[in-house]
Amino acid sequence: MPAIEVESLYKVFGKGARSAVSQLEAGVPRDELTARNVTAAVIDHTWSIEPGEIFVVMGLSGSGKSTLIRMLNGLIKPTSGTIRIDGVELGSLSARELRRLRREKISMVFQHFALLPHRTVVENVAFGLEIKGLAKAERLERAREAVELVGLSGHEDKLPAQLSGGMRQRVGLARALAADTEILLMDEAFSALDPLIRQEMQDQLLDLQGALGKTIVFITHDLNEAMRIGDRIAICDGQVKQLGTAEEILMHPADEYVAEFTADVDRTRVLTAEAVMEPCGTRDTSAFTTVEPDVPVNELYEPVLNSRSPLLVVDDNADPLGVVTPRSIIKSLAPERESAGAEQEAQPA
């Protein structure tokens, strides 16, 4: 069963919202509604997220990202469509049942840390558990465990003002982890951080995910961040323009909007040996140097150039999947250029 499932989901702000949904379904452009002071924030989202998946929603300002994440925990009601959490439809819940679901199933990590300035690190982390009514000893024990998970051991008794921005964001993450919910909703959680600290937090999140296996919905406007951490990515502009893995989106952008987004991405850090390999054909591969499928392209340059033969990509059973050559790397890193060149060659002189 999916952890999160949305179907035909719309959120429209302004007068005549339900009428606007019908117009959108009939093909009326979003911009036409905007001209009438009606904002179509989320348009016809239908997708699901499996347990343990990092699902990234990305887009520019005004693309509906934050509206979407607030609908997922019931802070905003959809204009139309359904949201299910572990098979339970949010729209069917009473206010009390919805509050219980939030407490037990969903935690949020925001861009701005919202820490209580007069409380220590461990007290901030334990605050949500205090709201839930847990005994002091239990909530402090769980808070200390979460503080250790995010790498803040030794800072438990410091106040937020004594911490760096990255450390304060770790406190926010620890507070969500201490709640021990299955789902984390992260709304631009790292956007306010300096680039180096931001990368450290991405690493921290991936390490934690490897250990805890949470279901994570991560909102960002940064495609490099999305491609670094997401199992799948939904690129949105009100509606979902494309949903897929980082490699699928880079190699096969659905339209010009997506292609423009991916133009400046460092493909060498996203694409892997499996993404750039070509078929083995009838070659004798017995003497080839082998590599694993998930090795990034930027780690293949030296071995592929130093080897006198292609690199053999093998699976966990050492069975061959394909080969990586200099040409296969170049072709994958610049597919549009390769395609254009092929078209030119095909044209008669």
Side-chain angles (χ1 to χ4, degrees), residues 86-122:
D86 285 341
V88 177
E89 185 177 342
L90 292 192
S92 69
L93 300 179
S94 66
R96 183 177 181 180
E97 290 169 331
L98 182 58
R99 287 194 297 271
R100 181 178 178 182
L101 180 138
R102 288 197 199 110
R103 287 197 306 268
E104 297 179 357
K105 292 279 188 182
I106 301 171
S107 297
M108 284 200 71
V109 184
F110 298 95
Q111 176 179 356
H112 301 291
F113 323 118
L115 303 183
L116 300 172
H118 60 286
R119 294 201 178 201
T120 65
V121 165
V122 75

Side-chain angles (χ1 to χ4, degrees), residues 164-333:
S164 68
M167 293 170 76
R168 290 196 295 271
Q169 189 61 289
R170 287 172 191 262
V171 177
L173 180 56
R175 185 165 54 192
L177 294 175
D180 197 28
T181 58
E182 299 167 8
I183 297 171
L184 291 181
L185 304 180
M186 305 184 69
D187 189 7
E188 297 276 8
F190 305 151
S191 296
L193 302 176
D194 293 336
L196 183 59
I197 299 174
R198 187 171 183 169
Q199 184 168 329
E200 290 176 357
M201 287 302 301
Q202 293 166 6
D203 292 339
Q204 178 83 67
L205 179 64
L206 292 172
D207 289 344
L208 287 170
Q209 180 66 352
L212 302 177
K214 300 289 186 180
T215 302
I216 299 174
V217 181
F218 192 99
I219 303 295
T220 183
H221 62 267
D222 184 330
L223 186 58
N224 281 293
E225 180 170 69
M227 298 218 164
R228 187 160 190 257
I229 68 174
D231 294 314
R232 286 187 303 151
I233 302 163
I235 297 181
C236 300
D237 183 24
Q239 64 190 106
V240 176
K241 293 291 188 177
Q242 186 167 358
L243 195 163
T245 65
E247 291 178 352
E248 289 168 349
I249 290 171
L250 273 182
M251 300 292 285
H252 307 289
D255 57 21
E256 190 63 30
Y257 182 86
V258 177
E260 288 178 4
F261 257 114
T262 62
D264 296 326
V265 172
D266 184 354
R267 292 170 175 262
T268 68
R269 295 181 179 275
V270 177
L271 298 179
T272 61
E274 187 172 20
V276 304
M277 69 185 184
E278 57 189 27
C280 298
T282 58
R283 298 180 247 206
D284 178 9
T285 60
S286 58
F288 287 8
T289 301
T290 61
V291 294
E292 296 178 352
D294 59 354
V295 176
V297 167
N298 63 354
E299 296 180 17
L300 296 176
Y301 289 144
E302 185 174 345
V304 81
L305 292 175
N306 291 341
S307 177
R308 294 186 177 182
S309 57
L311 301 178
L312 181 65
V313 184
V314 296
D315 61 18
D316 292 340
N317 297 318
D319 292 328
L321 299 173
V323 292
V324 175
T325 66
R327 186 183 184 282
S328 73
I329 292 177
I330 293 170
K331 181 178 179 180
S332 298
L333 294 182

